[in-house]
Amino acid sequence: MPMKVKLFTSSFSRAACHFIFLAFLCSSCNAHTEYYRHILFDNSLESDAYYYSDARASSPSSLELLHGKLPVSHDFFFTPPNAIRLRWRSAPDGGWEASIRAIDFRNREIKFDGDVLYFWCFSKDEIAGDELPRIWLSDVDRGFSRALEVGKFQSSIPAGKWVQVAIPLQEFATGSDHVFRSDQTAKITFSQDKADSQEHTLIIDDLKIDAALASGTPQDTPTLPAPQNVAARGYERHVDISWASVESPKLQRYVVYRSLDGKNFEPIGIQVPGINRYTDYLGKPGMAAYYKVAASDHQYRLSSLSKPANATTKAMSDDELLTMLQEACFRYYWEGAHPVAGTTLENIPGDDRIVATGASGFGIMALIVGVDRGFITREQGLDRLRKIVTFLENAPRYHGVWSHFMDGATGQSLPVFDMFDNGGDLVETAFLMEGLLAARQYFDGTSEAERGLFTRISHLWETVEWDWYRRSSDSPALYWHWSPDWSWHINHQITGFNECMMVYLLAIASPTHGVPAELYYSGWANQKESGAKYRKAWSGTTGGERYTNGHTHYGIKLDVGVGSGGPLFFTHYSYMGFDPRGIHDRFTDYFQNNRNMAQINLAYSVRNPGHYKGYGGDFWGLTASDGPDGYMPHEPTIRVDDGTMTFTGALSSFPYTPKESMAMLKYVYRDLGNQVWGVYGPRDAINLSQDWVSPIFMGLDQAPITVMIENYRTGLIWKLFMSNPEIKPMLERVGFMRDVAPQKAGH
């Protein structure tokens, strides 16, 4: 039986404006942000080698590597469930270096609070201080420190015992040609020191920057209460564990324990403050497990363990799997919403201030599904919608249009992309209004609260000045952005085919600030040279440059769309509310066209011209997301396909490809589940070829899964949005006509 050495074993455990005022009441508004102001590494999502590491060796020295990365240790760890293994041999005339990088996920500002670098070390065999590596730091601007000998700060690593190394940041003097910034440390590097020609293995875990004296051992007196109300719920292959939040500034993490016999509890994972849920992937039905949770402070002092909760996994039907997926993704918008605004965070983890306007519209539709499916009560959903509407009523608007990003506590517009993006964003506002109009029709009861919500949403809808974003009375199109500081400087004309059809539909439908129906054809479906130039610029192809396409890909004809159709979010965002079934304009039936886009995407993945790992009939659905090298609009072309598969692509395509989407769901859950399944369903993306798993969940990607599955199952959101009295007359003015044989979702 392999020896496992862990930190948290059971033997260690024992006993000025409206928004600013609301922010004061909320103690967990910046939980994720605060956590990552200290933690550089806690665990690896990749099971064999840590993606955010780089290493190499020069002979005759050697260093253990997997895929050019540092291996992950599952047998020895300090914070469960894993750590990094550093195994080296330092020889004369050789050298090696191994770096661990701070994860640069979306909207993370790499800025650490603290004056000491801490990390925990373990070795099965004693390592003398002069046999330990050197260490040096690099910052975000490629400045670096001089190397230090770890042995000067730690006399030895005793055999079989975890020790914490503490190095004051002031010790890291600048070694580069400009000043090294320790508070912006982006990389920690270990390198060869004493050339003793002996093999050494050091397990390294929980690298962080924190205040001096923020060290301790689990045996110290607990400073936090045990988590309360721990509950466990079993699904087919996993168990969800939840608990009540421990409200304390001392809290740094939760620690989750599991027992398969109800007696011997072992630590299996940690969770950051602000998320009171953990997913334990057991891998098969019929597994019974018991769980306890503890709270841990910055000095690793544990609370006593909670009372136990237990659950058993069970076989589930396809219908039950769909409900499971919908509910998991729904939680992003219910449990993960900004606590003051109620609106949707751009990503989790991320910058906890930033709420996204379009994703909030998607989240509203997901909340409706949550109420209708019984995930929350109608009263809970209504209360959340009222909170969201209150936030939107008080947030800055630019001729009735909200900005792309806002501070969830204050409503302030946040120019996340650049300084010009500090005003109204018409596309994001359209997605928000798509959700609000669906909610207006759902909460249609006679109570004072529901009637009041109807009135307030109607006022928000009627005060969006769509016509202002036309720029002039003779303009043939709408424009994406306007800023009071920069006016029309971004100068982005909204041209299809992409995700933006909803903008033109709502602008034409507006009862107070409407635009002529002709703009649908001169702006959205612009077939002139200006439209062709726009489409060629972003797509790199002439296929579909004049809106209509007509080309066949893998035997599948594409009526409308650029190239082979583009990323699949084009078929989701505007069609979460707008029901394209059974109607067509002069160009196509968009339900069938969207289905063809999804089928082309599937066929490309089966053909797999890039020879990427995993692609096939049960692993498909290319769409935009962050990947190993940052954002890419992944689509079925070699030019913009790097092996990254974004789960929302296929899973939000259920209305178009139910069998193929179900195959993807079963593969993701049953085969990849241990790698990707988390508290909000599947993580954003995975790249099997590069052994990379997304560290985040995205506000734009989880809701389409919940909503489009519901549209496939019941058509709920389609029915609600289309029932708005302004929609049918708008479609008639545009020229939409009924199909001879109306399409049905999934058929």
Side-chain angles (χ1 to χ4, degrees):
M1 178 177 180
M3 175 185 177
K4 293 189 176 182
V5 179
K6 312 156 189 177
L7 162 62
F8 297 114
T9 60
S10 56
S11 62
F12 284 150
S13 302
R14 21 176 154 155
C17 65
H18 175 76
F19 297 114
I20 292 176
F21 173 71
L22 288 175
F24 174 77
L25 296 179
C26 173
S27 62
S28 60
C29 291
N30 296 309
H32 314 149
T33 300
E34 177 63 23
Y35 182 79
Y36 288 104
R37 284 181 180 146
H38 298 288
I39 302 298
L40 191 139
F41 169 83
D42 54 13
N43 284 297
S44 172
L45 291 173
E46 297 79 26
S47 61
D48 54 356
Y50 185 51
Y51 181 81
Y52 299 96
S53 68
D54 301 286
R56 59 181 176 175
S58 299
S59 182
S61 295
S62 62
L63 183 69
E64 181 188 16
L65 299 176
L66 286 174
H67 326 304
K69 308 290 185 181
L70 292 174
V72 172
S73 166
H74 298 276
D75 291 332
F76 305 97
F77 50 75
F78 189 76
T79 53
N82 57 48
I84 292 174
R85 185 169 66 247
L86 188 63
R87 180 175 294 159
W88 75 91
R89 188 174 68 87
S90 297
D93 302 319
W96 61 267
E97 56 92 9
S99 299
I100 301 168
R101 308 194 307 272
I103 303 176
D104 189 18
F105 52 73
R106 179 187 291 257
N107 294 322
R108 175 183 182 177
E109 179 188 23
I110 297 181
K111 186 174 179 61
F112 290 96
D113 290 341
D115 46 19
V116 179
L117 171 68
Y118 294 100
F119 55 94
W120 289 85
C121 297
F122 172 86
S123 177
K124 292 175 65 177
D125 303 307
E126 182 178 1
I127 303 178
D130 63 355
E131 296 172 337
L132 292 170
R134 296 188 301 167
I135 185 172
W136 44 287
L137 309 180
S138 305
D139 66 23
V140 295
D141 293 322
R142 297 170 61 185
F144 54 88
S145 71
R146 294 175 184 170
L148 297 174
E149 295 177 0
V150 175
K152 289 186 176 181
F153 302 91
Q154 185 66 40
S155 60
S156 68
I157 305 297
K161 182 180 180 181
W162 282 99
V163 296
Q164 188 180 43
V165 178
I167 305 177
L169 292 177
Q170 65 184 15
E171 297 287 339
F172 291 97
T174 298
S176 53
D177 60 353
H178 61 276
V179 175
F180 161 69
R181 292 286 307 275
S182 61
D183 63 331
Q184 295 184 326
T185 294
K187 183 169 63 175
I188 297 176
T189 301
F190 297 93
S191 61
Q192 176 167 319
D193 194 0
K194 181 180 179 180
D196 59 4
S197 297
Q198 301 296 310
E199 184 175 279
H200 300 284
T201 300
L202 192 65
I203 308 300
I204 299 174
D205 204 356
D206 204 61
L207 291 89
K208 71 173 185 176
I209 291 174
D210 212 329
L213 302 179
S215 60
T217 63
Q219 296 96 328
D220 291 342
T221 302
T223 63
L224 296 168
Q228 301 296 310
N229 303 324
V230 176
R233 181 179 175 188
Y235 295 87
E236 186 184 88
R237 306 293 172 98
H238 79 281
V239 174
D240 270 332
I241 305 99
S242 61
W243 56 89
S245 176
V246 173
E247 299 294 339
S248 171
K250 297 179 181 179
L251 177 69
Q252 186 165 78
R253 66 184 63 77
Y254 297 101
V255 188
V256 181
Y257 299 79
R258 179 219 295 149
S259 170
L260 298 180
D261 60 9
K263 298 176 182 178
N264 300 306
F265 284 83
E266 296 288 336
I268 59 169
I270 62 174
Q271 188 56 276
V272 303
I275 300 179
N276 307 318
R277 185 178 294 275
Y278 184 82
T279 296
D280 182 27
Y281 192 84
L282 295 171
K284 61 181 180 181
M287 292 285 291
Y290 302 79
Y291 299 92
K292 295 181 179 182
V293 183
S296 170
D297 66 13
H298 285 242
Q299 295 175 258
Y300 305 94
R301 293 173 295 194
L302 285 168
S303 72
S304 57
L305 291 180
S306 69
K307 294 180 180 179
N310 66 286
T312 303
T313 57
K314 58 184 179 180
M316 296 177 71
S317 67
D318 288 0
D319 200 53
E320 289 173 319
L321 288 174
L322 288 178
T323 301
M324 174 194 75
L325 175 60
Q326 286 182 285
E327 183 174 11
C329 294
F330 153 83
R331 291 192 190 114
Y332 184 101
Y333 307 89
W334 180 246
E335 298 178 0
H338 191 282
V340 174
T343 49
T344 301
L345 296 178
E346 167 73 348
N347 51 280
I348 300 174
D351 186 326
D352 298 341
R353 297 173 304 153
I354 301 175
V355 296
T357 298
S360 295
F362 297 172
I364 289 169
M365 289 183 274
L367 288 171
I368 296 169
V369 175
V371 172
D372 213 63
R373 286 271 161 197
F375 304 152
I376 56 174
T377 66
R378 188 177 184 93
E379 290 72 23
Q380 288 175 311
L382 179 60
D383 286 347
R384 177 61 59 85
L385 261 295
R386 293 169 71 187
K387 175 186 280 191
I388 291 171
V389 167
T390 297
F391 173 79
L392 295 173
E393 288 170 337
N394 288 277
R397 299 176 72 182
Y398 306 90
H399 289 277
V401 171
W402 291 273
S403 57
H404 191 144
F405 298 108
M406 291 177 275
D407 186 311
T410 68
Q412 176 187 357
S413 297
L414 298 175
V416 172
F417 292 133
D418 57 43
M419 64 182 179
F420 305 118
D421 187 35
N422 69 339
D425 187 308
L426 195 64
V427 175
E428 293 290 308
T429 295
F431 296 150
L432 173 63
M433 195 53 62
E434 183 181 12
L436 286 171
L437 289 177
R440 184 176 73 163
Q441 299 304 103
Y442 187 79
F443 292 99
D444 63 347
T446 58
S447 70
E448 182 179 348
E450 294 200 20
R451 290 171 61 88
L453 182 65
F454 183 99
T455 300
R456 295 168 70 190
I457 291 176
S458 296
H459 180 73
L460 293 177
W461 159 232
E462 292 167 3
T463 49
V464 177
E465 298 179 28
W466 307 91
D467 50 349
W468 171 266
Y469 284 77
R470 192 181 177 187
R471 293 185 63 167
S472 65
S473 60
D474 59 353
S475 171
L478 296 169
Y479 285 78
W480 202 307
H481 307 91
W482 178 81
S483 161
D485 298 316
W486 304 102
S487 189
W488 305 103
H489 186 83
I490 295 179
N491 196 35
H492 192 162
Q493 190 176 109
I494 303 173
T495 306
F497 190 86
N498 48 33
E499 74 273 29
C500 302
M501 179 185 278
M502 183 57 63
V503 179
Y504 281 92
L505 297 182
L506 292 179
I508 296 167
S510 172
T512 52
H513 295 279
V515 301
E518 290 76 22
L519 264 68
Y520 179 87
Y521 296 98
S522 61
W524 166 250
N526 179 0
Q527 296 186 287
K528 297 181 179 179
E529 186 60 31
S530 59
K533 183 178 179 181
Y534 173 85
R535 297 183 187 100
K536 283 190 289 187
W538 71 256
S539 70
T541 179
T542 58
E545 64 178 350
R546 295 189 185 271
Y547 193 70
T548 55
N549 189 305
H551 291 89
T552 298
H553 303 269
Y554 308 104
I556 304 163
K557 185 183 177 184
L558 189 63
D559 290 339
V560 166
V562 177
S564 56
L568 278 177
F569 75 90
F570 288 1
T571 71
H572 303 149
Y573 290 4
S574 285
Y575 303 96
M576 292 167 68
F578 173 49
D579 182 357
R581 296 174 300 172
I583 57 176
H584 62 276
D585 63 6
R586 68 181 65 165
F587 305 113
T588 191
D589 174 318
Y590 288 96
F591 182 86
Q592 185 61 51
N593 196 70
N594 289 348
R595 171 185 283 167
N596 289 351
M597 284 188 185
Q599 290 176 334
I600 290 169
N601 202 299
L602 169 65
Y604 171 91
S605 297
V606 171
R607 186 74 57 89
N608 192 13
H611 306 290
Y612 292 115
K613 185 177 179 180
Y615 280 28
D618 56 3
F619 190 63
W620 65 280
L622 295 166
T623 192
S625 70
D626 292 339
D629 302 312
Y631 173 83
M632 282 188 67
H634 311 288
E635 61 177 87
T637 62
I638 287 291
R639 186 179 65 88
V640 283
D641 175 19
D642 67 352
T644 300
M645 194 63 69
T646 308
F647 299 116
T648 192
L651 298 181
S652 297
S653 295
F654 258 96
Y656 313 125
T657 53
K659 292 181 180 179
E660 298 86 348
S661 295
M662 180 59 76
M664 174 70 164
L665 169 57
K666 290 179 177 178
Y667 177 71
V668 169
Y669 181 59
R670 292 173 176 170
D671 293 88
L672 299 179
N674 197 42
Q675 295 174 266
V676 303
W677 203 266
V679 294
Y680 305 126
R683 290 183 171 274
D684 201 50
I686 192 170
N687 189 309
L688 295 173
S689 297
Q690 297 191 45
D691 192 31
W692 173 86
V693 179
S694 174
I696 65 170
F697 299 89
M698 275 287 294
L700 283 172
D701 290 345
Q702 302 305 98
I705 296 173
T706 293
V707 173
M708 291 301 275
I709 288 176
E710 193 60 36
N711 281 334
Y712 160 65
R713 298 176 82 178
T714 67
L716 174 67
I717 303 301
W718 280 340
K719 293 173 185 176
L720 291 170
F721 179 83
M722 299 298 283
S723 70
N724 279 281
E726 301 90 343
I727 301 303
K728 183 179 179 181
M730 173 272 295
L731 294 176
E732 292 173 349
R733 292 198 299 273
V734 170
F736 275 89
M737 296 170 284
R738 302 298 305 176
D739 291 345
V740 175
Q743 295 284 347
K744 296 182 179 180
H747 299 281

